[in-house]
Amino acid sequence: MIWETAKLGDVCTITNGSTPLRKEKLYWEEGNVPWFTIDDFRLQGKNITYTQQNVTQAAVDDKKVRLVPANSVLLCCTASIGEAAIARVEMATNQQFNALTPKSAVLNSDYLYFVATTLTQTLLSVSGSTTINFISMGKLKEISIPLPPLAEQERIVAKLDAAFAEIESLNKIASIRKAELAKLKEALLL
């Protein structure tokens, strides 16, 4: 089956992340607005439900950060280009990430996440460079992705979620077996 394609800028609202001045206490002290960084991705993986750092509502009101809706895909466009996660709650992000928010019900966020995880080479091929690689908003908007019908996107997501759950289960079993083998080896060497 041949699927349509669509440019990210046509099917997503793309929002740049930012970092308020750290020395401006008004934007940081006692903040309660989740503010996403790569560390949150490293701790939680695909689904981001909380952040380690928060900014204040004043940072939002003064437009020092932009809030992105829940179920936006967070795509790293500098340094760790291609890393992706899904914001499961409304949040702001630092400047390493752009949020991809589907514009309509023709694009499933989880499907978009899985597609985003395959874009690393494409992103690197269009990146600019200063001291680190970066993807401009204009180039990101022009990247085309496959856009099957919504029901097919949901079927793909279900299959991939099941496959990754099985992989996780097998990894846990392998870790247990490895620990058991280490104990047996230690016992035999005594």
Side-chain angles (χ1 to χ4, degrees), residues 86-97:
I86 303 175
R88 294 299 184 185
V89 297
E90 182 181 64
M91 65 181 58
T93 74
N94 77 356
Q95 63 276 6
Q96 278 188 278
F97 287 84

Side-chain angles (χ1 to χ4, degrees), residues 36 41 45-46 73-76 80 82-86 97 113 116-117:
F36 177 80
F41 166 78
K46 175 184 174 186
V73 173
L74 308 172
L75 180 63
C76 190
S80 301
E83 298 284 359
I86 303 175
F97 287 84
Y113 161 80
T117 64

Side-chain angles (χ1 to χ4, degrees), residues 115-173:
V115 170
T117 64
T118 70
L119 294 177
T120 302
Q121 289 307 311
T122 301
L123 294 169
L124 288 170
S125 74
V126 299
S127 71
S129 184
T130 53
T131 54
I132 59 170
N133 288 341
F134 65 92
I135 310 302
S136 72
M137 177 80 79
K139 289 186 178 180
L140 185 60
K141 287 179 178 181
E142 292 300 311
I143 293 174
S144 290
I145 62 167
L147 190 63
L150 190 58
E152 183 67 7
Q153 292 176 43
E154 292 167 351
R155 188 190 70 75
I156 290 167
V157 167
K159 285 196 172 272
L160 288 171
D161 281 345
F164 282 110
E166 180 68 17
I167 290 168
E168 187 175 328
S169 174
L170 292 172
N171 281 335
K172 285 179 183 176
I173 292 168

Side-chain angles (χ1 to χ4, degrees), residues 51-107:
T51 59
Q52 292 184 304
Q53 298 180 57
N54 295 299
V55 295
T56 64
Q57 186 61 44
V60 175
D61 294 343
D62 291 351
K63 299 187 183 343
K64 301 302 179 185
V65 295
R66 293 179 197 97
L67 292 178
V68 296
N71 297 315
S72 295
V73 173
L74 308 172
L75 180 63
C76 190
C77 290
T78 65
S80 301
I81 288 178
E83 298 284 359
I86 303 175
R88 294 299 184 185
V89 297
E90 182 181 64
M91 65 181 58
T93 74
N94 77 356
Q95 63 276 6
Q96 278 188 278
F97 287 84
N98 285 337
L100 310 175
T101 307
K103 288 182 178 178
S104 71
V106 300
L107 184 59

